Amino acid sequence: MAKGASISGFPEWLPSERVVEQRVIDTLRKVFELNGFIGIETRAVEEGSSLLKKGETSKEIYLLSRLQEVGHESDTPIEQRLGLHFDLTVPLSRYVVENSGQLAFPFKRWQIQKVWRGERPQEGRFREFVQADIDVVGNGDLPEHYEVELPLVMVSALEELRAFGLPKATVHANNRKLSEGFYRGVGLGDIEGVLREIDKLDKIGADEVARLLVENCHADQRQAQACLELAQLTASNGAELQARFDQLWSKYCTAADREQYHSMAQKGLDTLAMIIDEAAAIRPGSVIADLKIARGLDYYTGSVYETFLDGAASLGSICSGGRYDNLASQGNRKYPGVGLSIGLSRLVSYMLHSAGAAASRVSPACVMVAVWNEDDRLASNRIAAQLRERGVAADVAPYAAKLGKQIKYADRLGIPYVWFPADAAGEDGGSGTDQVKNIVTGQQCAADVTSWLPDSVYARQTVSLKH
Amino acid sequence: MAKGASISGFPEWLPSERVVEQRVIDTLRKVFELNGFIGIETRAVEEGSSLLKKGETSKEIYLLSRLQEVGHESDTPIEQRLGLHFDLTVPLSRYVVENSGQLAFPFKRWQIQKVWRGERPQEGRFREFVQADIDVVGNGDLPEHYEVELPLVMVSALEELRAFGLPKATVHANNRKLSEGFYRGVGLGDIEGVLREIDKLDKIGADEVARLLVENCHADQRQAQACLELAQLTASNGAELQARFDQLWSKYCTAADREQYHSMAQKGLDTLAMIIDEAAAIRPGSVIADLKIARGLDYYTGSVYETFLDGAASLGSICSGGRYDNLASQGNRKYPGVGLSIGLSRLVSYMLHSAGAAASRVSPACVMVAVWNEDDRLASNRIAAQLRERGVAADVAPYAAKLGKQIKYADRLGIPYVWFPADAAGEDGGSGTDQVKNIVTGQQCAADVTSWLPDSVYARQTVSLKH
């Protein structure tokens, strides 16, 4: 990264690093479009009222004010002020409602954009970063099969990124209905509170979570124990999931008045079982049930997902999401959705700094045309123009300096070929024809601008792993 | 556009419109990279002090405040607050200075990003829009040849956009040194003031500009007349430019003490003459001298450019820029630059609403695989996966509804092919093999998922002109 962001939390890439980010974005877009997702872009701002409505990040909003409003900002209630979006899900919901008449439903969309979090500056937290999202939004209803298909699209996208050094990704899935039914089944009522504490399990450990459940969520020791045991339940197929859940239910939810919550839990369990069984049929090992997954954002109503990379636990979840049935509505009409979001900036940071992803060169140019003297620049420009017309990216030496200096410029940019125009080739002891030199291999040969092509290895700027 | 932006000045595209914008961005990127420009992205925010330093748009800044700071915004001086960038030139200058040790100079970069202007909401003005910029920045010095090469890169980029309905573009060039030398030569001192009034020439006409020059810039009638005659000077080659300028100079700048300003004007004139002569040699008619071009931003120090489209005068300049020698510096070290910027959102709006550019289809998918019943969905998903592996973008029917309804979904998204899996083909009276139907032409035939390819006309989402 550009030697520490000059404003804390607002990272910027050096040109060679940006090549990697751009390739990652191109790759994701390719996978999303292969899967029939439609690209949209929403404005960076939303009204305060939408931003405050949903999401625990609502406290981390950047509000805008025009320079002319400075000193009078408070004249406008926050709900009516504009703020930068903190994710791409809230904007999608708003976009879908506004344009519902002109969209075909279910609406499958991809969106890769910056988002902002108005956090206090602190080490390692991004206040501006790129998210890459896919969602599908239904009109009135939304079939459950998308709850397994969308995580699988993300898995296939992340699989493509392994070429840039990303380890294998596994989606951990849970279901809010399952959790809520169970919590109510054991006699707890503060569902959001319990989820919030359970979400801390990996960070602070079981004992501490148990203490917080007792302290903050009116749980007794046995109830806390029940929640922890549920959170520790994992399963790789539906039957196993059902069996383990049944065991817990009969252990903790025996009171007669709790049975009413069983159907809620079972509904969530059925969806989760479907997800892991279908995923196993298509891509074994890609999606597992992990009942501690809680997700911070409070707009999820069913499936929730987090994604972890093998051997990169410190990164935490790199791709999260879930199903939200109530985020968007218009009158009685609801627009339920399910989607996942990759935190792209942290991922690119990992690829660059931990996985050794690197651009083959800084410049997209494949050839730099040398300039013998400034009066000959037009000839060099013409050669470059002819190469470009044939799809070969070409730069021209900035100065008609000594040849060594010109080659050094190409070398600093990683441009593999230097083209020597013929007309003054005599100065170079040349043959009177154009010559092209591969400055990586040292090979030089005569070349015709109307037919020459670079070796395929050197043709394009690529990203690969340093060894 | 999505039926009038729901927040004034913050436009959003419908999915089919976004296809056009995305293609325009892809095309520009391709041309910029063919020409050896390096892509970067800068953060959306800058410190107030940089935003306020330069540019007449400095009054149109959006400042940020964290939600927690509401009510206390004024505790922080504006210079130390963060604001959204209003162009990509100020961020580039800052980026170059911060990373100068790690860049190769001259640094040629392209950048396509959103910018924001904190204007009062008003009809037809964008407060959020996309700019597409190319610049080259030197370390200490910057050769003049870039002042003709950069406008020519933009012309070639705009030429590519004619496929999307853009009329022919002509760059109108002027030079601040030429203007300043002449204004001082006729005895005027308020150079910025005069430029500001001259900039209004097309909007309010010569008489009104003359009145303002007298009223605001201490000009007498004859001086105002001189400025207007200079502004009305155009030339298509350097010799003509020189001759017409000489005529004006000897008519208006005869006072003995004015001769000192002639060398300043001549320097600007030499650069401008070089630009139009070189441009004519490479791409005749693409760049002309037009001495009324003033440019609003005050950071330009030499060449200035505006670009107009044939028959689209109402759009005004769609691509502007110039040379800036003093925008970036570090100690005694200066980083002079020259660049141009396309106002992309307005251009896309023109293509969509005036030129009739349209996407061939909404969905990137080429095929929709039908689903006979929900139990067969896995089979349909597998067919889609096989198509995708071979590079064919594929969607799967959202519901195992009646076939007509499934086809209607494909049709609404513009997906040209519907694939009927074999296993249940009996229901369709089928042959027991997979079938694929082109729902545009009505043609249907047996197809093998391991070898089938779409007709090339239907393979990709494209953009063309409605007739």
Side-chain angles (χ1 to χ4, degrees):
Chain A
M1 199 166 318
K3 59 162 184 189
S6 61
I7 301 180
S8 166
F10 290 86
E12 277 178 339
W13 306 117
L14 287 169
S16 60
E17 298 172 328
R18 169 64 179 165
V19 174
V20 175
E21 182 178 59
Q22 185 75 67
R23 284 298 178 287
V24 169
I25 291 171
D26 291 346
T27 302
L28 293 176
R29 173 181 166 193
K30 190 194 73 189
V31 174
F32 297 159
E33 298 204 330
L34 267 178
N35 282 276
F37 286 80
I38 293 166
I40 68 164
E41 183 155 288
T42 54
R43 49 174 150 85
V45 307
E46 298 292 331
E47 275 163 359
S49 54
S50 336
L51 294 172
L52 291 168
K53 204 165 55 182
K54 291 285 175 184
E56 75 158 12
T57 46
S58 62
K59 294 185 198 79
E60 297 171 350
I61 297 169
Y62 276 117
L63 294 170
L64 303 186
S65 41
R66 294 172 50 227
L67 192 55
Q68 284 82 343
E69 293 163 349
V70 166
H72 314 277
E73 284 99 336
S74 306
D75 295 359
T76 314
I78 290 169
E79 289 70 19
Q80 289 168 34
R81 288 178 63 180
L82 300 179
L84 296 173
H85 56 218
F86 57 80
D87 72 1
L88 303 177
T89 312
V90 171
L92 171 65
S93 304
R94 194 251 323 139
Y95 180 94
V96 162
V97 170
E98 279 181 11
N99 301 298
S100 59
Q102 296 176 270
L103 303 175
F105 290 95
F107 178 55
K108 294 171 68 174
R109 85 88 176 78
W110 68 267
Q111 191 171 353
I112 302 179
Q113 266 181 264
K114 282 186 176 164
V115 303
W116 293 268
R117 304 268 163 101
E119 302 192 4
R120 262 187 329 109
Q122 52 182 314
E123 197 59 47
R125 294 298 285 260
F126 288 162
R127 298 195 283 168
E128 170 178 287
F129 56 99
V130 178
Q131 282 195 338
D133 283 29
I134 52 171
D135 286 79
V136 55
V137 179
N139 183 347
D141 70 328
L142 183 70
E144 210 172 45
H145 61 80
Y146 289 114
E147 290 174 60
V148 59
E149 286 161 11
L150 266 72
L152 286 177
V153 172
M154 277 304 196
V155 168
S156 69
L158 293 167
E159 195 66 24
E160 293 274 316
L161 299 185
R162 295 185 70 175
F164 309 138
L166 211 66
K168 180 182 179 306
T170 308
V171 176
H172 294 229
N174 191 7
N175 191 292
R176 284 266 168 101
K177 291 196 182 78
L178 194 169
S179 308
E180 178 172 351
F182 184 82
Y183 298 156
R184 293 196 189 277
V186 302
L188 292 170
D190 178 8
I191 308 304
E192 287 193 17
V194 176
L195 285 171
R196 196 159 42 236
E197 305 306 346
I198 291 293
D199 198 32
K200 300 174 186 163
L201 192 54
D202 279 343
K203 272 191 200 145
I204 61 176
D207 290 351
E208 190 61 12
V209 169
R211 197 183 63 75
L212 291 172
L213 286 170
V214 172
E215 197 170 294
N216 300 333
C217 308
H218 311 289
D220 61 26
Q221 290 297 344
R222 188 174 159 77
Q223 287 169 324
Q225 181 59 25
C227 295
L228 282 168
E229 282 188 41
L230 185 77
Q232 281 151 358
L233 197 166
T234 62
S236 56
N237 67 64
E240 187 187 351
L241 175 67
Q242 183 74 57
R244 293 195 179 166
F245 177 80
D246 288 346
Q247 230 174 355
L248 280 189
W249 185 272
S250 52
K251 181 169 170 193
Y252 288 109
C253 311
T254 45
D257 62 333
R258 311 278 167 77
E259 202 47 42
Q260 54 176 310
Y261 303 116
H262 188 265
S263 67
M264 178 191 283
Q266 186 62 44
K267 209 173 157 193
L269 195 149
D270 287 344
T271 303
L272 184 55
M274 178 280 289
I275 289 174
I276 56 178
D277 285 345
E278 293 276 322
I282 291 175
R283 202 183 276 267
S286 59
V287 183
I288 62 164
D290 179 353
L291 276 62
K292 74 171 173 299
I293 300 301
R295 298 289 297 124
L297 293 164
D298 60 12
Y299 49 62
Y300 295 114
T301 52
S303 294
V304 285
Y305 317 99
E306 292 195 337
T307 309
F308 300 93
L309 298 177
D310 282 3
S314 64
L315 264 184
S317 173
I318 54 111
C319 173
S320 311
R323 175 161 182 144
Y324 43 93
D325 280 346
N326 307 318
L327 190 53
S329 61
Q330 200 172 26
N332 289 327
R333 171 70 61 176
K334 282 194 176 172
Y335 297 92
V338 55
L340 291 99
S341 174
I342 296 179
L344 201 71
S345 302
R346 281 167 66 236
L347 219 55
V348 171
S349 184
Y350 175 87
M351 290 174 190
L352 290 169
H353 304 125
S354 300
S360 60
R361 57 186 190 238
V362 176
S363 170
C366 173
V367 180
M368 185 200 73
V369 183
V371 178
W372 298 113
N373 60 64
E374 284 302 331
D375 292 342
D376 291 336
R377 181 168 291 281
L378 185 58
S380 297
N381 281 339
R382 286 204 163 118
I383 289 167
Q386 281 177 284
L387 289 169
R388 288 170 196 144
E389 263 173 41
R390 294 175 47 243
V392 179
D395 205 346
V396 176
Y399 298 92
K402 281 189 184 157
L403 206 52
K405 219 176 151 184
Q406 295 192 41
I407 291 174
K408 200 176 156 196
Y409 173 78
D411 188 48
R412 284 200 65 186
L413 290 171
I415 301 175
Y417 292 97
V418 177
W419 190 284
F420 306 116
D423 19 2
E427 293 188 14
D428 192 37
S431 62
T433 62
D434 283 14
Q435 299 269 318
V436 65
K437 178 173 186 163
N438 182 319
I439 61 172
V440 184
T441 65
Q443 274 195 315
Q444 181 169 338
C445 56
D448 181 341
V449 73
T450 63
S451 61
W452 178 84
L453 283 176
D455 282 353
S456 60
V457 194
Y458 299 104
R460 310 234 160 266
Q461 202 181 29
T462 55
V463 170
S464 57
L465 299 178
K466 282 178 289 191
H467 295 294
Chain B
M1 201 168 315
K3 57 161 184 189
S6 61
I7 301 180
S8 166
F10 290 85
E12 278 178 338
W13 305 117
L14 287 168
S16 60
E17 297 171 328
R18 170 64 179 165
V19 175
V20 175
E21 182 178 61
Q22 185 75 68
R23 284 297 177 288
V24 169
I25 290 171
D26 292 346
T27 302
L28 293 177
R29 173 181 166 192
K30 189 194 73 189
V31 173
F32 298 160
E33 297 203 331
L34 268 179
N35 282 274
F37 286 80
I38 293 166
I40 68 164
E41 182 154 288
T42 54
R43 49 174 150 85
V45 306
E46 298 291 330
E47 275 163 359
S49 54
S50 337
L51 294 172
L52 292 168
K53 204 166 52 180
K54 291 285 175 184
E56 75 157 14
T57 48
S58 62
K59 293 186 198 80
E60 297 172 349
I61 297 171
Y62 276 118
L63 293 170
L64 302 187
S65 41
R66 293 172 51 227
L67 193 55
Q68 284 81 342
E69 293 163 348
V70 166
H72 315 276
E73 285 99 336
S74 306
D75 295 359
T76 314
I78 290 169
E79 289 71 17
Q80 288 167 31
R81 289 179 64 180
L82 300 178
L84 296 173
H85 56 216
F86 57 80
D87 73 2
L88 302 178
T89 312
V90 171
L92 170 66
S93 304
R94 193 252 322 141
Y95 180 94
V96 162
V97 171
E98 278 182 12
N99 300 299
S100 59
Q102 296 175 270
L103 302 176
F105 289 97
F107 178 55
K108 293 171 69 174
R109 84 87 176 80
W110 68 267
Q111 190 171 355
I112 301 179
Q113 266 180 266
K114 282 185 176 163
V115 302
W116 293 268
R117 305 268 164 102
E119 302 192 3
R120 263 187 329 110
Q122 52 183 312
E123 198 58 48
R125 294 297 286 261
F126 288 161
R127 298 195 282 169
E128 170 178 288
F129 56 97
V130 178
Q131 282 196 337
D133 283 29
I134 52 171
D135 287 79
V136 55
V137 178
N139 183 347
D141 70 327
L142 183 71
E144 210 173 44
H145 61 80
Y146 289 114
E147 290 174 62
V148 60
E149 285 161 11
L150 266 72
L152 286 176
V153 172
M154 277 303 196
V155 167
S156 69
L158 293 167
E159 195 66 24
E160 293 275 315
L161 299 184
R162 295 185 70 174
F164 309 138
L166 210 67
K168 181 184 179 302
T170 308
V171 176
H172 294 229
N174 190 8
N175 191 292
R176 283 266 168 101
K177 292 197 180 79
L178 193 169
S179 307
E180 178 172 352
F182 183 82
Y183 298 157
R184 292 196 189 278
V186 301
L188 292 169
D190 178 8
I191 307 305
E192 286 193 18
V194 176
L195 284 171
R196 197 159 41 236
E197 306 306 346
I198 290 293
D199 198 32
K200 301 173 184 163
L201 192 54
D202 278 344
K203 272 189 199 145
I204 62 176
D207 289 351
E208 189 59 14
V209 169
R211 197 184 62 73
L212 291 171
L213 286 169
V214 171
E215 198 170 292
N216 301 333
C217 308
H218 310 291
D220 61 26
Q221 291 296 344
R222 188 176 158 79
Q223 287 169 322
Q225 181 59 24
C227 294
L228 282 169
E229 283 188 39
L230 186 77
Q232 281 150 357
L233 197 166
T234 63
S236 55
N237 67 66
E240 187 186 353
L241 175 68
Q242 183 74 56
R244 293 194 179 167
F245 177 82
D246 288 347
Q247 227 174 357
L248 279 189
W249 185 272
S250 52
K251 182 170 170 192
Y252 288 109
C253 311
T254 44
D257 61 335
R258 310 281 166 77
E259 203 45 45
Q260 53 176 311
Y261 302 116
H262 187 266
S263 67
M264 176 190 285
Q266 186 63 43
K267 207 172 158 194
L269 195 148
D270 287 344
T271 302
L272 185 55
M274 178 281 288
I275 289 174
I276 55 178
D277 286 346
E278 293 276 321
I282 291 175
R283 203 184 273 267
S286 60
V287 183
I288 61 164
D290 178 353
L291 276 63
K292 74 171 173 300
I293 300 301
R295 298 289 296 124
L297 293 164
D298 60 12
Y299 49 61
Y300 294 115
T301 52
S303 294
V304 284
Y305 316 99
E306 294 195 337
T307 308
F308 300 93
L309 298 176
D310 282 3
S314 65
L315 264 184
S317 173
I318 55 112
C319 172
S320 311
R323 174 159 183 145
Y324 44 92
D325 280 346
N326 307 318
L327 190 52
S329 61
Q330 198 172 27
N332 288 329
R333 171 69 62 175
K334 282 193 178 175
Y335 297 92
V338 56
L340 292 98
S341 174
I342 297 178
L344 202 70
S345 302
R346 281 167 67 236
L347 219 54
V348 171
S349 183
Y350 176 87
M351 290 173 190
L352 289 168
H353 303 126
S354 300
S360 60
R361 57 187 190 237
V362 176
S363 170
C366 174
V367 180
M368 185 200 72
V369 184
V371 178
W372 298 111
N373 59 65
E374 283 302 331
D375 293 341
D376 292 337
R377 180 169 292 280
L378 185 58
S380 296
N381 281 340
R382 285 203 164 119
I383 289 166
Q386 281 177 284
L387 289 169
R388 288 171 196 141
E389 263 172 40
R390 295 175 45 243
V392 179
D395 204 345
V396 176
Y399 300 92
K402 282 188 182 157
L403 206 54
K405 219 176 151 185
Q406 295 192 41
I407 291 173
K408 200 175 156 196
Y409 174 79
D411 188 48
R412 283 201 64 186
L413 289 171
I415 301 175
Y417 292 97
V418 178
W419 190 283
F420 307 117
D423 18 4
E427 293 187 15
D428 192 38
S431 62
T433 62
D434 284 14
Q435 298 269 319
V436 65
K437 178 174 184 164
N438 182 319
I439 61 172
V440 185
T441 65
Q443 274 195 315
Q444 180 171 337
C445 56
D448 180 341
V449 72
T450 63
S451 61
W452 178 84
L453 284 174
D455 283 353
S456 60
V457 193
Y458 299 104
R460 311 232 159 266
Q461 202 181 29
T462 55
V463 170
S464 58
L465 299 178
K466 283 178 289 194
H467 295 296

